[in-house]
């Protein structure tokens, strides 16, 4: 059984920063990619950023200059450093993992950007 556990969400003021973490555990077979989606209230879940096992990172355009994704392959962990946060970044952030054994999701962590 594979489990993804996210942490690092919370309440932050506009312009602030947060760092999300997502650790995968269990029967993991060759991770090909990890990343993040988010879902704001009343909206569909949207892809935010992803990183391959080789370290190639991609972002949705509107976070490209503010968010940085990274991963620690030895720990099966992916991170999302979020800077210059805006109220419109408020959402539940979900970690995902794609592997040869299947695709998996975390339970989500709430990020709220508000003064």
């Amino acid at each position: 059984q594979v489990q993804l556990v996210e942490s690092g969400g919370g309440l932050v003021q506009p312009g602030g920063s947060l760092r999300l973490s997502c650790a995968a555990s269990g029967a993991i077979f060759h991770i090909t990619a990890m990343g993040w989606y988010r879902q704001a209230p009343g909206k569909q879940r949207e892809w935010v950023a992803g990183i391959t096992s080789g370290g190639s990172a991609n972002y949705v355009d509107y976070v490209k200059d503010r968010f940085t994704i990274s991963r620690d392959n030895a720990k099966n962990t992916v991170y999302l450093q979020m800077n210059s946060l805006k109220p419109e970044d408020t959402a539940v952030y979900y970690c995902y993992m794609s592997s040869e054994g299947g695709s998996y999701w975390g339970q989500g962590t709430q990020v709220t950007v508000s003064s």
Side-chain angles (χ1 to χ4, degrees):
Q1 184 177 356
V2 175
Q3 188 175 20
L4 301 182
V5 178
E6 297 130 333
S7 60
L11 173 64
V12 64
Q13 292 187 341
S17 298
L18 284 175
R19 189 191 192 212
L20 306 183
S21 300
C22 172
S25 62
I28 300 169
F29 298 97
H30 187 205
I31 299 173
T32 54
M34 298 184 76
W36 298 89
Y37 278 71
R38 71 185 185 186
Q39 187 167 19
K43 295 187 177 181
Q44 290 188 331
R45 190 175 297 190
E46 60 181 7
W47 176 80
V48 176
I51 186 167
T52 67
S53 57
S56 177
N58 287 283
Y59 305 88
V60 68
D61 283 347
Y62 46 83
V63 307
K64 195 171 293 184
D65 296 328
R66 302 183 293 121
F67 293 7
T68 302
I69 190 170
S70 60
R71 62 186 288 177
D72 184 331
N73 290 336
K75 296 181 179 180
N76 292 329
T77 298
V78 65
Y79 306 95
L80 187 67
Q81 177 67 43
M82 305 186 294
N83 299 327
S84 302
L85 283 162
K86 304 175 181 181
E88 51 263 44
D89 294 317
T90 295
V92 178
Y93 283 71
Y94 296 91
C95 168
Y96 72 89
M97 181 185 77
S98 298
S99 73
E100 291 185 356
S103 296
Y104 304 92
W105 291 90
Q107 81 286 355
T109 185
Q110 176 70 47
V111 171
T112 302
V113 184
S114 175
S115 55

